[in-house]
Amino acid sequence: MSPQTLTLTIDPAADAAPFEQVRIQIADQARDGGLPVGYKLPTVRGLAEELGLAANTVAKAYRALETDGVIETRGRNGSFIAAAGEAADKEAAAAAESYARRARRLGLDHHAARAAVEEALRATYGADD
């Protein structure tokens, strides 16, 4: 069995900024098991050099991934893939609860609050994802 490796490609013509492309690809690979929990990511400088990006671009992606719970940074030991699924589920539940409370404070009934969520999901994910 071959060890998993991080594979990233940056498309300069893409709509998404390079840091967002890095963030999305690492998150997707962590989520689908391509990068297992505990996998050590390249250093910010190393990955930036490999991809031909500024170190700040990769650092921004790593910060976003850490905020999302996809990676964890262990000081000078580096950055590692975290147990992203559980962290993502907890964060999504907290965001949903926060939205529900806010919608109720705004006076929306259950139907209107759900319709707003459905519209936001369609706008973000596409028609019937």
Side-chain angles (χ1 to χ4, degrees):
M1 182 166 123
S2 65
Q4 289 95 347
T5 59
L6 178 64
T7 305
L8 302 176
T9 55
I10 303 301
D11 179 0
D15 289 337
F19 92 89
E20 184 66 7
Q21 292 180 54
V22 171
R23 186 198 67 75
I24 289 168
Q25 290 177 60
I26 291 174
D28 287 350
Q29 290 178 49
R31 190 174 17 264
D32 71 14
L35 297 175
V37 171
Y39 177 87
K40 184 175 182 177
L41 294 168
T43 64
V44 167
R45 285 190 180 148
L47 185 57
E49 197 172 289
E50 180 182 327
L51 297 174
L53 298 173
N56 286 340
T57 299
V58 174
K60 185 175 182 180
Y62 277 24
R63 282 191 303 272
L65 288 162
E66 189 163 24
T67 298
D68 293 345
V70 176
I71 69 171
E72 59 185 6
T73 300
R74 301 176 190 160
R76 294 178 104 22
N77 291 323
S79 297
F80 299 82
I81 298 296
E86 186 177 311
D89 290 346
K90 286 180 182 177
E91 189 168 336
E97 182 179 353
S98 176
Y99 169 76
R101 291 179 190 283
R102 172 96 180 170
R104 187 171 193 155
R105 280 195 310 271
L106 291 170
L108 298 178
D109 65 16
H110 188 98
H111 179 74
R114 183 185 300 258
V117 168
E118 290 295 333
E119 183 56 35
L121 289 170
R122 272 192 296 281
T124 302
Y125 287 94
D128 290 317
D129 281 351

